[in-house]
Amino acid sequence: MNRSVILWACAALAVAACSRVSDGVPVADPSQPAAVQATPTTVPSASPDPLPGVVPTTGSPPPAGPFCVPAVLPSLRTVARVTDPGAPTATVAVPDGWAMTSGTGDVGARLEGPDGMWAEVTITATSLDPEATFREYVDDLTAGSVMSTVSMLPADMCGFSGQRLMGMLSDGGDSIEYEDRLVQVPTGNGDHLIAIHVQAPSGAPGFADAAAHVTQDFEVGLP
C-alpha cells in the first residue's frame, strides 16, 4: 500500500488516516470470514507483505462466451457490462426487493437496496499482476477515510485470481460497512478487474446476508 497501515485507533494520533488490515487463510468455506481471520498484522509501506491467497490464473483464457457459470443460479441476476469492447461481463446476483440499473464508464451495474444499502459492479482494464491490482484497489477504497479496517480472504474463482474484502470506513463521523469481491480476468485483450462493492451504514439490518448474496460466485462472459 502507498501509506503505512496503523493497527490501533488513530483518534489520538496526528495522522491523516489509519487502517487496520487482517489476513485470512485459505479454507474450504471462505464464506465464514470470522472463523479464519488471523491476528491483525502491520503492513509497512516500504515493504508490503504479500496479500493472502493471491495465486496466478491457471492455463489460458477460455474461448469467448459465457464462462464460469455457477452450479446453482440465483433467481434474480443482472449483467454488468461496460463500454470497453474488450472487457468481460459479470452476471451477479441481486437480492429480492433491490432495484438494478446499468452504470456508466467503468461501472457496469448499480444496485439499490433498503436502509441505505447499495452495490456497484466495476470492470476496469489493468496492466498490473493480481497482487498489485488488489493492493491498488484497497488503497483507493480506503484513501478518503480517516479510519478504516480491511479484512482480506482468498477468493479465487474458476482459476481466476480473486480476493474477498470486508471492513469499515469512517470519515470521522458516521461509518459504513462494506464487502467486496475482486476477480482479475485475463482475456485476449489484456487483464480486467471485476470488482463488486456492497456497502451500507454501519448496523443496517440485513446487510451481511445481502452482501453475501451479491458477492457470491458469478458468471463471467468473455468478449
Side-chain angles (χ1 to χ4, degrees):
M1 299 174 69
N2 295 329
R3 62 186 186 281
S4 296
V5 177
I6 311 300
L7 299 184
W8 225 200
C10 64
L13 303 180
V15 293
C18 77
S19 300
R20 187 182 68 194
V21 176
S22 61
D23 297 346
V25 295
V27 292
D29 182 8
S31 65
Q32 303 298 324
V36 298
Q37 289 182 10
T39 302
T41 57
T42 301
V43 183
S45 58
S47 55
D49 293 341
L51 293 181
V54 178
V55 294
T57 298
T58 57
S60 302
F67 176 71
C68 196
V69 181
V72 178
L73 293 174
S75 58
L76 184 61
R77 305 180 298 280
T78 187
V79 179
R81 188 188 311 272
V82 296
T83 54
D84 177 0
T89 62
T91 303
V92 303
V94 179
D96 290 340
W98 283 45
M100 46 188 161
T101 60
S102 57
T104 59
D106 291 334
V107 178
R110 182 175 174 89
L111 312 177
E112 297 282 350
D115 300 311
M117 291 187 281
W118 61 268
E120 280 188 345
V121 184
T122 57
I123 305 172
T124 54
T126 178
S127 60
L128 303 175
D129 62 55
E131 183 179 334
T133 299
F134 301 155
R135 191 176 294 279
E136 182 178 71
Y137 182 90
V138 172
D139 282 348
D140 291 341
L141 177 67
T142 61
S145 300
V146 174
M147 178 180 288
S148 62
T149 62
V150 183
S151 294
M152 298 178 289
L153 291 171
D156 58 294
M157 189 181 76
C158 300
F160 296 148
S161 299
Q163 206 78 20
R164 190 181 294 275
L165 312 176
M166 59 209 72
M168 176 274 294
L169 303 172
S170 175
D171 60 3
D174 295 335
S175 63
I176 64 165
E177 52 189 318
Y178 68 88
E179 290 195 22
D180 289 52
R181 181 74 183 272
L182 311 179
V183 178
Q184 184 149 328
V185 178
T187 71
N189 305 291
D191 284 12
H192 287 76
L193 174 67
I194 299 176
I196 304 172
H197 174 80
V198 192
Q199 76 170 56
S202 292
F207 172 75
D209 289 341
H213 190 73
V214 178
T215 59
Q216 64 182 286
D217 288 356
F218 55 91
E219 178 183 322
V220 175
L222 297 177

